[in-house]
Amino acid sequence: MKFMHRLMTLAVVMATTLMTSPPASAIGTPRLLIGQDFPDPDIVKTDSGYFAFSTSTGAVKVPYAHAPAPEGPWRVAGDALAAAPKWAKPDGGFWAPDVTRLSDGTFLLYFSAAVAPGGEMCIGVATAAKVEGPYTPAGDGPLICVPGDGGDIDPQTFVDSDGSRYLIYKSDGAAVGPPAAIWSQKLLADGRTPDGPRIELLRADLASENAVVEAPSVVKTASRYFLFYSADTFQSSGYHTGYASAPALSGPFVKAGTPFLSTDLLGGKVDAPGGADVVDGRIHFHGWLGGGRTARGMYQLPIGFPDDVPQLG
């Protein structure tokens, strides 16, 4: 069945007309919102403004920032995670957080952390009464930790129009065996209980991806589901953001023929754009600051979906 599914997906890809990205001059200059290390940004809109959460920086487990409007001004405010969960290495870092709100008003923070003592990354969850936290780890173990995945990271929630809740995430893959993949796991309404088997959405199967797909984020339009993802190694200037589309969240997802965000497409204004999140007609992403590889700032560009096709600028 997996072989037949791949054949069908390949046939759809071959039948799809490859789209050309607009030139950098048509896209405009990305707005730098946070000019310090703030990688893998997740954006949340609330009645009290906008909040952003990032991968660990220094001793701060889950940094968060606040702004009254999408354009800012953004202020990095503190640490959203009250304590490391007992199952995680306290000094192993907490990657690519995602915050969502349940119908009862509770906020959930999903994150990736290394399992003690082995170090494999798994996905955990914490709860709070306020969007900024402090979040308290929930459960005695990880929420997602699949044997054989080589690690599970980069959680992102998606709530469909019928209220169904999903966790989209990446399996790391391994040097020998399947490459990295992106999965969808349906959750119960509590956001902490898997509901049924997970579904594979796409794999790293393009040469330009260098066996890496990660940082998923799903956007639904009137008739399509768009899965934005990062590809290639994050230390490289070849790191970029692509997207795939499907008629249903279960797929089949068909990748666009060219990157959506890349160093070249942005005219070198952002180095290695990735970790994208789309909120309120804007795509937020990180990129290396100052021509080095020590800090990634948070950037923003306008995005639209005319005729159900993502478009920058």
Side-chain angles (χ1 to χ4, degrees):
M1 290 297 292
K2 289 183 179 179
F3 178 70
M4 290 300 296
H5 175 75
R6 289 171 183 168
L7 282 180
M8 291 172 63
T9 302
L10 179 61
V12 174
V13 172
M14 293 177 65
T16 301
T17 301
L18 302 184
M19 294 181 296
T20 302
S21 299
S25 58
I27 294 172
T29 299
R31 182 191 296 265
L32 178 61
L33 301 177
I34 298 178
Q36 65 185 71
D37 201 21
F38 203 84
D40 304 309
D42 173 66
I43 312 300
V44 181
K45 180 183 179 181
T46 73
D47 293 338
S48 57
Y50 292 77
F51 289 81
F53 302 82
S54 90
T55 286
S56 297
T57 58
V60 183
K61 297 181 290 299
V62 177
Y64 77 92
H66 176 258
E71 293 78 12
W74 284 88
R75 182 177 66 88
V76 179
D79 195 336
L81 186 60
K86 293 180 180 179
W87 56 265
K89 294 176 66 175
D91 56 351
F94 299 87
W95 298 0
D98 174 81
V99 169
T100 187
R101 187 177 186 180
L102 301 180
S103 58
D104 66 0
T106 302
F107 288 91
L108 298 183
L109 167 69
Y110 300 92
F111 55 86
S112 310
V115 177
E120 183 175 275
M121 300 296 289
C122 295
I123 295 171
V125 61
T127 64
K130 300 185 296 182
V131 63
E132 67 269 31
Y135 287 84
T136 302
D140 296 327
L143 174 64
I144 304 289
C145 199
V146 181
D149 272 359
D152 296 299
I153 64 172
D154 294 357
Q156 275 282 321
T157 48
F158 173 72
V159 180
D160 214 337
S161 52
D162 65 355
S164 297
R165 186 174 291 272
Y166 299 85
L167 191 67
I168 317 298
Y169 67 94
K170 170 203 177 180
S171 62
D172 271 339
V176 177
I182 292 175
W183 304 83
S184 170
Q185 173 64 65
K186 190 175 183 181
L187 301 172
L188 295 182
D190 65 1
R192 295 167 49 187
T193 308
D195 182 16
R198 66 179 183 172
I199 297 174
E200 181 182 324
L201 302 184
L202 56 81
R203 282 190 175 272
D205 55 9
L206 300 178
S208 61
E209 295 168 346
N210 284 324
V212 176
V213 291
E214 59 188 18
S217 180
V218 173
V219 176
K220 184 180 181 181
T221 62
S223 63
R224 305 289 292 177
Y225 292 78
F226 291 90
L227 171 57
F228 292 88
Y229 64 95
S230 302
D232 205 340
T233 54
F234 75 94
Q235 301 98 332
S236 165
S237 289
Y239 195 64
H240 63 275
T241 298
Y243 75 86
S245 64
L249 185 59
S250 58
F253 276 89
V254 178
K255 295 177 181 178
T258 57
F260 188 65
L261 293 171
S262 71
T263 305
D264 290 342
L265 288 173
L266 295 179
K269 296 171 183 175
V270 179
D271 183 14
D277 192 24
V278 178
V279 176
D280 268 7
R282 298 164 182 85
I283 185 168
H284 304 81
F285 53 97
H286 66 231
W288 293 107
L289 295 168
R293 292 288 187 272
T294 58
R296 288 170 286 177
M298 186 174 88
Y299 293 84
Q300 178 195 89
L301 274 170
I303 186 174
F305 294 84
D307 300 320
D308 272 349
V309 176
Q311 183 175 308
L312 293 170

